[in-house]
């Protein structure tokens, strides 16, 4: 058995491997893992028969065309996590970060191009993450830190 998934530093990859483990499969032993650069490349690998299954985010799946969906079936879903977070570098001041956030929200909420952009991503909107959103990511910190420590 083989599985394609985006880069091991993506939360979707961590979620996918955790799902395998919860179902009694050992990644790298029972299932060969192929890390690819993008969600799309994981799907293409699946469609080309290079792997038996692929892990992709629901956001990426929704953004694919009907032709890309052809013949694919969703066979399992991981727990939900906050979909995407836009982060500012520590080098960016709080004022600059808030200015950017306001501009992004204004673009999305007040312009046709912004509405098209957010709809195209399959999101309902944009909001600051809640404390609960951030805490929901805590279980994935250790696996992500372990992946960061691996040679690339």
């Amino acid at each position: 058995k083989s599985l394609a998934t985006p880069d091991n530093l993506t939360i979707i990859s961590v979620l996918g491997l955790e799902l395998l483990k919860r179902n009694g499969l050992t990644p790298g032993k029972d299932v060969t893992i192929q890390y690819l650069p993008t969600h799309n490349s994981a799907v293409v690998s699946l469609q080309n028969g290079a792997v038996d299954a692929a892990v992709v985010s629901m956001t990426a799946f929704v953004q694919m065309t009907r032709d890309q969906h052809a013949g694919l079936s969703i066979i399992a879903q991981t727990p939900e996590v906050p979909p995407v977070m836009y982060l500012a570098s520590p080098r960016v001041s709080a004022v600059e970060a808030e200015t950017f956030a306001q501009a992004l929200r204004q673009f999305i909420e007040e312009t046709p191009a912004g509405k098209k952009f957010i709809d195209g991503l399959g999101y309902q909107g944009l909001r600051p993450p809640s404390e609960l959103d951030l805490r929901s990511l805590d279980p994935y910190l250790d696996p992500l830190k372990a992946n960061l420590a691996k040679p690339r």
Side-chain angles (χ1 to χ4, degrees):
K1 305 285 183 225
S2 57
L3 176 86
T5 187
D7 187 283
N8 70 343
L9 295 179
T10 62
I11 194 156
I12 194 66
S13 290
V14 171
L15 287 165
L17 297 187
E18 291 295 321
L19 182 67
L20 292 176
K21 292 174 192 173
R22 279 196 314 276
N23 285 282
L25 299 170
T26 303
K29 181 180 174 189
D30 300 315
V31 181
T32 301
I33 307 301
Q34 185 177 4
Y35 293 104
L36 297 171
T38 66
H39 298 261
N40 200 42
S41 55
V43 170
V44 169
S45 185
L46 176 61
Q47 290 173 322
N48 290 339
V51 294
D52 299 308
V55 173
V56 298
S57 72
M58 188 56 75
T59 300
F61 190 77
V62 167
Q63 292 172 3
M64 293 175 191
T65 65
R66 283 192 183 158
D67 288 343
Q68 289 172 304
H69 287 173
L72 301 180
S73 301
I74 297 173
I75 58 173
Q77 287 186 271
T78 64
E80 287 190 30
V81 293
V84 172
M85 290 188 196
Y86 294 90
L87 305 173
S89 166
R91 296 182 308 273
V92 174
S93 73
V95 171
E96 290 172 313
E98 183 55 32
T99 299
F100 175 77
Q102 286 177 356
L104 188 56
R105 283 191 297 270
Q106 184 177 7
F107 169 69
I108 289 167
E109 294 168 5
E110 298 177 17
T111 70
K115 289 178 173 119
K116 182 177 179 181
F117 169 75
I118 204 75
D119 288 345
L121 293 175
Y123 300 153
Q124 280 102 38
L126 191 66
R127 63 172 174 75
S130 68
E131 192 62 35
L132 183 61
D133 290 332
L134 296 175
R135 278 195 312 243
S136 75
L137 299 172
D138 285 350
Y140 310 108
L141 291 176
D142 287 340
L144 286 170
K145 286 177 185 178
N147 288 345
L148 277 169
K150 293 177 183 174
R152 301 207 38 90

